Amino acid sequence: MNKGRVTVVDIARAAGVSKSTVSLVLQASPLVNEATRAKVNAVIRELGYVYNRGAANLRQKSASSRIIGIIVNDLTNSFFAELAVGMDMVMQSAGYVQFLSNSAESVDRQREVVASMREHGIAGLILSPARGTEAGDLKPLAASGIPVVAVVRNVVGAKVSTLFSDNYAGAKDAVRHLVSLGHTRIAFLGGFANTTVFTERVEGWRDALSEAGLAAPDRLVIATTASRAGGVAAIERALLLPEAPTAALCFNDAAAFGVCDGLRAAGKEPGRDFAVVGFDDVIEAETAVPALTTVSVDPQGMGRRAAQLLLKQINAGRVEPETIVSSVRLVVRQSCGAGQTDRTRRIST
């Protein structure tokens, strides 16, 4: 069966129910019992049916839809909360309502949310892809004509607009700074290994060490969850190495905060006994103790740019994918130990 031509009649026939029952299920009517509802929904998923309300909007390219879908991969991370705030600033002023959802790093959950948003006739979608998202996952969106902006993570081969930060350059600058402070054993801590962001940041870490004539052994790259708990786990493992590092570039600020927690648990003070650098520059970075040295990607600014890019496509009435790499900058604070006059002597002993 051609999924692009699936009708309510097809759903009814496959589920063994009447057309009116299928319509009631689509309308979330309480008149349908749960067993029947589950059976009909299973057939809908199997046939890839998109509710006519959304399909009609897509076919007519309706300008009346004022709904924008936003899906992030980890709303528990304050970075993504700030990202969403930036999007809201632009979309609200443009008269759009946003549907915000958290995929929680689940590709299956992401597919379900995308299908639901399409059903409600979204005018466009901003997506921070879940870990493991492939180009094929975004192909139906690209084919449908819905404007899509993938933000933070680059999905190679996906024919959608993409906005992400210069992860490679940011990591390289951070490591160069740590080298300038006299560090020779610098770890990379935290983050999921199977993401483009992780790969780009590790490449920057590795190339900066190579540029300085320093070793970049794989054992100094410790992948964990990109969270505070992940940072604690990563530093615990790093401190057990035969030649433990004296500094670390962390995958993100959340992991960096965890690294600081783990250092204190081990009797070491961040910024004094061990240099810590994060990545993102979330709001808490400036007020943390010690204040966190980090690579600033300006999450709110990134959110605003993603929203502006999406609106550009919606207003143009056509989808022309663009790729934008936003610049980053190193913000030096206390957690890296910069400014301590006896720093070089202590780390080289």
Side-chain angles (χ1 to χ4, degrees), residues 79 82-83 280-281 295-305:
F79 170 87
E82 291 185 43
L83 188 77
D280 285 344
D281 198 21
V295 178
S296 176
V297 305
D298 184 14
Q300 287 194 27
M302 179 176 281
R304 290 193 298 271
R305 288 190 293 274

Side-chain angles (χ1 to χ4, degrees), residues 187-246:
F188 185 95
L189 304 180
F192 295 110
N194 62 338
T195 64
T196 55
V197 176
F198 183 92
T199 299
E200 291 162 359
R201 292 178 183 177
V202 168
E203 284 179 355
W205 167 85
R206 197 180 302 278
D207 287 354
L209 290 176
S210 176
E211 180 184 87
L214 300 173
D218 290 343
R219 65 178 177 276
L220 286 181
V221 178
I222 301 176
T224 61
T225 57
S227 65
R228 195 161 193 146
V232 172
I235 190 62
E236 286 175 348
R237 288 166 55 186
L239 293 177
L240 292 176
L241 292 172
E243 291 187 322
T246 61

Side-chain angles (χ1 to χ4, degrees), residues 146-162:
I146 298 176
V148 178
V149 174
V151 65
V152 179
R153 290 176 177 169
N154 181 26
V155 181
V156 179
K159 296 180 180 179
V160 300
S161 291
T162 304

Side-chain angles (χ1 to χ4, degrees), residues 257 281-292 333-334:
F257 294 144
D281 198 21
V282 297
I283 291 174
E284 297 96 320
E286 188 173 6
T287 56
V289 179
L292 185 66
R333 299 190 180 105
Q334 287 74 50

Side-chain angles (χ1 to χ4, degrees), residues 69-73 75 99-104 109 113 117:
I70 298 174
I71 307 175
V72 299
N73 54 288
L75 200 51
F99 285 178
L100 174 63
S101 185
N102 178 33
S103 69
R109 167 66 178 161
V113 172
M117 287 181 172

